[in-house]
Amino acid sequence: MNRIFTALCAIVMVAMVSAAPQRQMLHEGWQFKQVRGTNWFPATVPGVVHTDLMANEIIEDPFFRLNERGVQWVDKEDWEYITTFVADKAVLEKERIDLVFEGLDTYADVYLNDELLIKADNMFRLWRVDVKKHLREGKNTLRVYFHSVVKIDMPKWEALPFQYYRWNDQSENGGLLKRKISVFCRKAGYHYGWDWGPRLVTSGIWRPVYLEAWNSLRIDNIFYNQKSVTEKRADIDVEFDILAHKESFATLRVVDERTGKTLAKGSATLKAGENKAVVPMTIAKPKLWWSNGLGEAHRYAFRSEVEIDGKVVESRHHDIAVRSLKVIRKEDKDGRSFYFELNGKAVFAKGANYIPCDSFLTRVTDEVYERTIADAVAVNMNMLRVWGGGIYENEKFYEECEKHGIMVWQDFMFGCALYPVEGAMIENIRQEAIDNIKRLRNYGCIALWCGNNECYDTLMACKRSFEKKGIDMKYYDIQKAQFDFQYYELLPEVCAKYDPSRYYHPMSPWVGKDIKAGDAKHLGDYHYWGVWGHRHPFERYNTTRSRFMSEYGFQSFPELGSIKIYAPNPKDWNIHSEVMMSHQRGGRSANSKIDDYLTKEYWPQSDFEKFLYMGQVMQGDAIRIAVEAHRRDMPFCQGSLYWQHNDCWPVASWSSRDYYGRWKAQHYFARYFFEKYLLSAYNSEGRLRVYVVSDNQANTKAEFEVKIMTLTGKVVKSYRKNIVVPANTSTIMLDEATETMLAGEKAENVVIVSSLKVGDKLYTNNNYFVKQGALNFPACNITTKVEKCDGGVAVTVSSDNFARAVYLAIEGIDNFFEDNYFDLLPGASRTVKVKTKLSAEEFEKQLKVMHLGGCKESKAKSQGTKIANDEEVHFVS
């Protein structure tokens, strides 16, 4: 019976494939040239001009040393791409043939057989045109002329009597002085440079291009509008957008592909042109989608079909996460809540902000997406925020998020700037929003649409600047009116029409229209940059509160193995060298800021490799302090998204994973501070309080233990108790006088060791009474044993005394340590598996071990010459 069913399904699928629109990819045979040049070179499509120039050895890798400076001419030039193709017979026979560009970056004229058919002006939009009458049998020529964004937008900048305010636009690096022209172009903002990224203004055919042909009709879009979802019933309106050539009567059907069962059926009389039809669908006792850590990220496999005269003429497949995902904003005793409710359960959002994985987007492969999301899952994240200065990501990103239970906070692509929202720009933005909402709205992992990143802060900075400089405030009023229209009218209207069940958040951070920023901590989401941006001490994380922390962060450099790839010369290995400064975009004082924090929170370090190691530990400690504070503050605070998950090039930044995908100390720490159960000891006002934080949706029996242990292993105080951990909240389980817990021992000589045993699983954490620089780290005798295991080696590390942040490393980056930067209690051992191609013997020869106490120097020195403090007026990401 199963074989018969499988065979029938195969027959149905073959029939559906033959009924689907015919698609011919146009990715072969491309050439490109500088318009004012004569030489043609082979090109890769999808691709961008910089990667094509590199492939033809015309420019060197801009990521290497100082090479970025030498490629700033590229965006000042016009570029032309050309190919020839023969249309497939099956395509030419169809009634309708479209030429489709899924992405053109950015100002582009498209010619087919020398006829201008498309004038593109938005990197984020899909461009489609009917080419039936323009195609020839035999050879066709497709040509794309890319205009320099500098040539197009510089006149717009120069024509204005005022300037639109913008934070991150490295116009000076591009030779444009202070002409920050990026606001005029609907293109990824980070391409113009950011405080973690280079200025590499690309152009090219950056997403697929193809011919799409069909007869009678084409499904333009299917929308699974989840009207109401509970554990008992899911009511979903399946909306069919159909483009038909002629009037016909159609049967519409939704099928569960796994069972073959028809779940919903309807009909529609189609007219020539655009049609919309809705088929209601109800699923009894649906299998719901859950975020990482709360349950299975289940997705249904649905097939939507259009049948005419008993024949399926078009169908679409969608994997759909059936769930109820809401943002709860309601008044309470503390102000107004901000939290995500998944299937009726409040969820603490644990995760990070996400930026594009590369300055050259076509280098981001499926494998890169898979690894990037897998690394988030591996450290217990359940949310990533797609930040508004990058791109609306490829479908692969959302597929991986949804498959692995990662909720997505989705920004529209507006960040840290004010935009000229007038004239043709209004419709351009509207269509950009429509295209991307329709493309992405079926992904149930997307939790909200957010209008922008930090544009309100930019508006306020604009106001202060204009007032200070005596600029006529009518020009500020123009920007304010356009700002209000864009985020309070235009974008929410598009969201309400095309994705009505999903929450729209006007901007981040945001508490409410015209509400003072000081109320953000009690009313909405918050970006806290006091630590780092304003040099506040780490301790300030413990006292800064918000309903939802959507940004905060701390910088570090990559590890030495990564630095050797882009700066192999040891002469560059100083944080104030020209190369290290070029690979630092956080301001001229940023590298000195790392050095200063290291001196204040730890101690100075002059050895470059040890400095890199200590800097990563410091970054991890800073974010660990922040996350523990946010989670201790449940349910007042219901989210913690640090800045940032990844990098777009090799750089000193706030990322927890470097450009090459190497985990920094912070990422290893995240595995523990984002666990389902967190223990956090906090010493304040003469009392030690130990919190147990639970993300579990049910009360849990557990064994709870706290030890005050000297760094040489003596237990001076212990507390143990069987407890019930309350569900989904933070609870103080121990509250004692600090003096009592120290029992006469000095605070700088001990570590607070907390543990929670839930069934067979043990959760632990180490905290301290004093900052790391004040601890009296003892000398440690650390031993290692290396043995071969499946996929690599296993390293067992032991220490006689407390060893803080034990770091293991070998040469290169072609390896992965499953754990690293871990603490070893006195007399304890830990075994770490390592993915490597080295033999156990060769691995042992290369193995290098560091620990924090071993990096303390008797005559402390910093990394050298300090750069004058140019403290930022405002810090943005």
Side-chain angles (χ1 to χ4, degrees):
M1 186 66 184
N2 287 338
R3 291 180 181 177
I4 295 173
F5 177 74
T6 302
L8 287 172
C9 286
I11 292 171
V12 169
M13 290 303 294
V14 169
M16 287 189 301
V17 169
S18 63
Q22 189 80 23
R23 184 173 288 189
Q24 179 179 345
M25 307 307 295
L26 301 177
H27 293 167
E28 303 300 323
W30 284 91
Q31 294 180 296
F32 83 110
K33 77 179 183 74
Q34 190 176 349
V35 167
R36 62 191 183 98
T38 57
N39 294 329
W40 289 91
F41 299 92
T44 299
V45 170
V48 295
V49 67
H50 289 77
T51 52
D52 286 331
L53 290 169
M54 279 189 277
N56 286 279
E57 299 182 349
I58 298 170
I59 64 171
E60 295 184 88
D61 180 4
F63 291 1
F64 186 75
R65 297 194 78 248
L66 303 174
N67 287 349
E68 177 204 359
R69 300 175 182 178
V71 299
Q72 293 305 309
W73 61 273
V74 176
D75 59 71
K76 318 302 187 295
E77 299 290 332
D78 294 350
W79 299 91
E80 190 170 10
Y81 280 68
I82 194 168
T83 190
T84 59
F85 66 92
V86 176
D88 294 342
K89 182 180 179 182
V91 168
L92 290 172
E93 290 174 348
K94 299 295 183 182
E95 297 173 2
R96 171 73 181 258
I97 309 171
D98 281 359
L99 173 63
V100 182
F101 286 86
E102 292 190 2
L104 287 167
D105 177 14
T106 292
Y107 296 121
D109 301 336
V110 177
Y111 297 83
L112 179 60
N113 297 325
D114 291 327
E115 292 189 66
L116 177 63
L117 300 181
I118 296 173
K119 286 188 71 68
D121 59 357
N122 191 319
M123 175 182 180
F124 306 120
R125 288 176 57 182
L126 179 143
W127 302 94
R128 178 187 288 271
V129 62
D130 184 354
V131 295
K132 174 73 174 178
K133 66 180 180 181
H134 303 288
L135 273 178
R136 304 168 180 166
E137 292 186 9
K139 187 173 75 171
N140 292 270
T141 300
L142 181 59
R143 180 166 58 93
V144 185
Y145 186 111
F146 289 98
H147 297 270
S148 160
V149 296
V150 175
K151 292 179 181 178
I152 295 291
D153 290 332
M154 186 71 81
K156 300 174 188 176
W157 189 94
E158 293 173 338
L160 285 174
F162 67 95
Q163 294 309 319
Y164 283 87
Y165 210 80
R166 174 162 199 101
W167 291 106
N168 282 306
D169 179 328
Q170 296 169 14
S171 55
E172 294 89 348
N173 289 351
L176 306 183
L177 302 177
K178 292 190 178 297
R179 298 179 179 87
K180 299 185 183 301
I181 63 173
S182 55
V183 296
F184 299 103
C185 187
R186 292 310 302 139
K187 173 176 173 55
Y190 83 109
H191 281 162
Y192 294 85
W194 219 268
D195 52 13
W196 36 257
R199 185 186 183 280
L200 294 167
V201 184
T202 59
S203 60
I205 304 168
W206 75 286
R207 276 179 169 159
V209 52
Y210 48 87
L211 295 174
E212 190 169 56
W214 69 94
N215 292 325
S216 69
L217 63 82
R218 176 177 64 85
I219 295 176
D220 185 60
N221 190 263
I222 299 290
F223 176 31
Y224 288 85
N225 186 4
Q226 301 189 36
K227 308 278 284 187
S228 175
V229 176
T230 68
E231 61 183 8
K232 294 181 179 179
R233 173 182 172 128
D235 292 321
I236 303 172
D237 280 354
V238 185
E239 300 181 10
F240 289 71
D241 288 346
I242 300 170
L243 184 64
H245 280 310
K246 57 187 177 182
E247 185 174 312
S248 59
F249 181 81
T251 299
L252 311 177
R253 186 181 293 108
V254 181
V255 177
D256 184 331
E257 290 192 334
R258 293 192 179 97
T259 65
K261 180 182 177 181
T262 296
L263 300 177
K265 186 176 180 181
S267 62
T269 299
L270 305 179
K271 67 180 188 300
E274 297 179 356
N275 299 267
K276 182 181 290 292
V278 178
V279 178
M281 178 172 69
T282 298
I283 304 174
K285 296 182 179 179
K287 192 170 184 180
L288 302 178
W289 180 90
W290 289 97
S291 60
N292 184 31
L294 291 185
E296 180 186 354
H298 179 266
R299 298 190 296 169
Y300 285 88
F302 292 142
R303 185 175 71 251
S304 47
E305 301 175 349
V306 180
E307 179 184 294
I308 295 178
D309 297 329
K311 181 182 178 182
V312 175
V313 296
E314 243 274 52
S315 67
R316 293 289 178 89
H317 167 89
H318 289 92
D319 292 318
I320 298 295
V322 175
R323 86 292 177 265
S324 170
L325 183 50
K326 302 175 181 178
V327 177
I328 306 301
R329 305 275 281 130
K330 63 183 181 182
E331 304 298 324
D332 58 23
K333 63 182 179 63
D334 296 309
R336 188 182 304 131
S337 68
F338 188 108
Y339 66 89
F340 293 92
E341 181 187 87
L342 178 61
N343 302 325
K345 307 291 185 181
V347 178
F348 189 98
K350 303 178 295 187
N353 288 261
Y354 167 91
I355 66 172
C357 290
D358 204 300
S359 294
F360 306 125
L361 289 162
T362 52
R363 299 202 299 200
V364 184
T365 63
D366 285 356
E367 183 181 13
V368 171
Y369 281 122
E370 290 166 3
R371 181 178 178 184
T372 301
I373 304 308
D375 284 353
V377 175
V379 298
N380 300 303
M381 292 185 188
N382 61 18
M383 177 171 280
L384 290 173
R385 174 182 174 228
V386 178
W387 162 83
I391 64 169
Y392 306 93
E393 271 295 347
N394 292 345
E395 281 87 340
K396 179 65 174 177
F397 171 86
Y398 302 96
E399 288 169 8
E400 289 301 308
C401 286
E402 194 160 274
K403 187 191 305 181
H404 295 290
I406 299 295
M407 297 180 288
V408 175
W409 172 312
Q410 179 65 54
D411 281 4
F412 286 100
M413 292 302 115
F414 304 95
C416 303
L418 302 175
Y419 298 87
V421 186
E422 59 184 5
M425 179 69 88
I426 294 174
E427 187 56 34
N428 201 354
I429 291 173
R430 188 192 315 277
Q431 195 56 53
E432 170 189 324
I434 292 170
D435 283 1
N436 287 284
I437 290 173
K438 291 178 71 172
R439 180 172 68 93
L440 301 176
R441 62 189 175 180
N442 282 326
Y443 289 105
C445 62
I446 296 178
L448 60 74
W449 296 102
C450 179
N452 69 66
N453 173 77
E454 295 183 349
C455 290
Y456 181 78
D457 295 340
T458 312
L459 181 69
M460 292 299 97
C462 173
K463 183 179 182 180
R464 292 190 299 269
S465 176
F466 279 23
E467 289 172 341
K468 182 178 180 179
K469 295 177 181 178
I471 297 173
D472 193 330
M473 292 305 289
K474 72 180 182 182
Y475 298 127
Y476 164 77
D477 293 338
I478 291 172
Q479 296 183 70
K480 172 68 161 59
Q482 293 176 352
F483 174 93
D484 286 347
F485 170 71
Q486 181 176 359
Y487 302 115
Y488 295 124
E489 296 182 41
L490 176 59
L491 290 177
E493 286 174 3
V494 174
C495 287
K497 181 176 181 179
Y498 292 95
D499 197 7
S501 63
R502 207 168 329 243
Y503 173 75
Y504 170 78
H505 195 57
M507 59 205 72
S508 181
W510 189 73
V511 294
K513 189 175 181 181
D514 299 325
I515 295 177
K516 293 181 180 179
D519 294 326
K521 300 173 185 179
H522 300 283
L523 298 175
D525 74 303
Y526 186 45
H527 295 190
Y528 174 61
W529 286 105
V531 175
W532 181 262
H534 299 289
R535 298 180 185 261
H536 294 168
F538 292 169
E539 174 62 26
R540 195 72 67 87
Y541 279 132
N542 286 312
T543 55
T544 302
R545 306 180 73 201
S546 172
R547 307 313 296 264
F548 194 102
M549 282 288 188
S550 45
E551 270 195 33
Y552 58 94
F554 197 87
Q555 271 203 12
S556 76
F557 280 85
E559 63 183 52
L560 186 59
S562 293
I563 285 176
K564 286 180 177 179
I565 297 173
Y566 69 88
N569 192 334
K571 292 181 180 179
D572 295 327
W573 296 354
N574 182 287
I575 64 171
H576 302 298
S577 73
E578 191 175 12
V579 171
M580 289 302 125
M581 292 300 294
S582 180
H583 288 257
Q584 163 62 272
R585 295 304 165 91
R588 290 184 297 119
S589 67
N591 284 352
S592 291
K593 192 180 292 185
I594 297 174
D595 208 7
D596 290 345
Y597 264 108
L598 203 61
T599 299
K600 292 174 182 177
E601 298 284 344
Y602 297 77
W603 52 84
Q605 181 56 253
S606 59
D607 179 86
F608 185 67
E609 186 171 7
K610 290 179 180 179
F611 175 87
L612 298 178
Y613 157 75
M614 288 183 64
Q616 287 205 14
V617 174
M618 179 171 63
Q619 179 197 34
D621 281 346
I623 301 307
R624 181 171 67 90
I625 291 169
V627 173
E628 288 192 21
H630 303 159
R631 295 189 68 187
R632 286 197 307 264
D633 209 16
M634 286 179 71
F636 178 88
C637 179
Q638 279 293 121
S640 183
L641 307 179
Y642 64 68
W643 186 272
Q644 64 209 72
H645 183 53
N646 59 318
D647 278 324
C648 69
W649 80 313
V651 65
S653 81
W654 299 265
S655 70
S656 63
R657 302 161 62 257
D658 71 22
Y659 169 71
Y660 305 104
R662 299 291 289 176
W663 289 21
K664 296 182 180 179
Q666 178 181 321
H667 208 73
Y668 284 103
F669 289 4
R671 175 183 284 153
Y672 301 102
F673 60 60
F674 280 153
E675 280 192 302
K676 178 181 288 189
Y677 297 99
L678 170 71
L679 297 114
S680 181
Y682 178 48
N683 183 55
S684 176
E685 299 177 340
R687 299 197 67 82
L688 177 67
R689 297 176 179 89
V690 182
Y691 296 71
V692 176
V693 183
S694 172
D695 288 334
N696 201 0
Q697 297 295 318
N699 294 343
T700 309
K701 293 181 179 179
E703 297 176 15
F704 171 66
E705 185 174 19
V706 178
K707 294 179 180 178
I708 308 300
M709 180 185 293
T710 68
L711 303 182
T712 55
K714 177 185 175 184
V715 176
V716 299
K717 194 76 174 179
S718 64
Y719 175 91
R720 185 172 183 177
K721 186 179 181 181
N722 291 328
I723 62 172
V724 174
V725 181
N728 205 25
T729 193
S730 170
T731 308
I732 297 174
M733 288 296 181
L734 176 65
D735 186 348
E736 290 284 351
T738 302
E739 186 177 5
T740 300
M741 296 302 290
L742 283 170
E745 188 57 75
K746 292 182 178 180
E748 57 267 30
N749 292 338
V750 301
V751 55
I752 307 163
V753 182
S754 307
S755 65
L756 187 76
K757 188 174 183 182
V758 180
D760 295 330
K761 172 77 172 176
L762 185 66
Y763 300 86
T764 64
N765 195 14
N766 298 329
N767 297 102
Y768 309 89
F769 289 101
V770 297
K771 61 186 180 182
Q772 296 293 292
L775 288 170
N776 290 326
F777 288 110
C780 293
N781 179 27
I782 295 179
T783 61
T784 60
K785 180 182 179 181
V786 180
E787 297 176 299
K788 192 69 177 174
C789 68
D790 290 342
V793 300
V795 186
T796 300
V797 189
S798 306
S799 178
D800 56 345
N801 290 321
F802 180 70
R804 175 79 225 283
V806 176
Y807 170 59
L808 309 176
I810 58 173
E811 288 296 317
I813 64 169
D814 186 22
N815 56 77
F816 176 70
F817 289 77
E818 291 187 355
D819 202 3
N820 220 336
Y821 300 93
F822 50 84
D823 296 346
L824 279 178
L825 295 177
S829 299
R830 180 171 300 196
T831 299
V832 177
K833 291 184 177 180
V834 186
K835 294 180 182 178
T836 177
K837 296 177 182 178
L838 296 179
S839 67
E841 293 75 17
E842 185 60 32
F843 183 94
E844 194 160 22
K845 290 179 183 177
Q846 291 191 20
L847 181 62
K848 182 180 295 186
V849 182
M850 288 187 188
H851 64 100
L852 192 58
C855 293
K856 210 160 190 176
E857 300 177 359
S858 56
K859 293 184 179 180
K861 298 179 181 179
S862 71
Q863 271 285 297
T865 305
K866 296 280 194 293
I867 292 177
N869 179 9
D870 61 344
E871 192 77 57
E872 296 92 341
V873 174
H874 176 73
F875 186 82
V876 294
S877 57

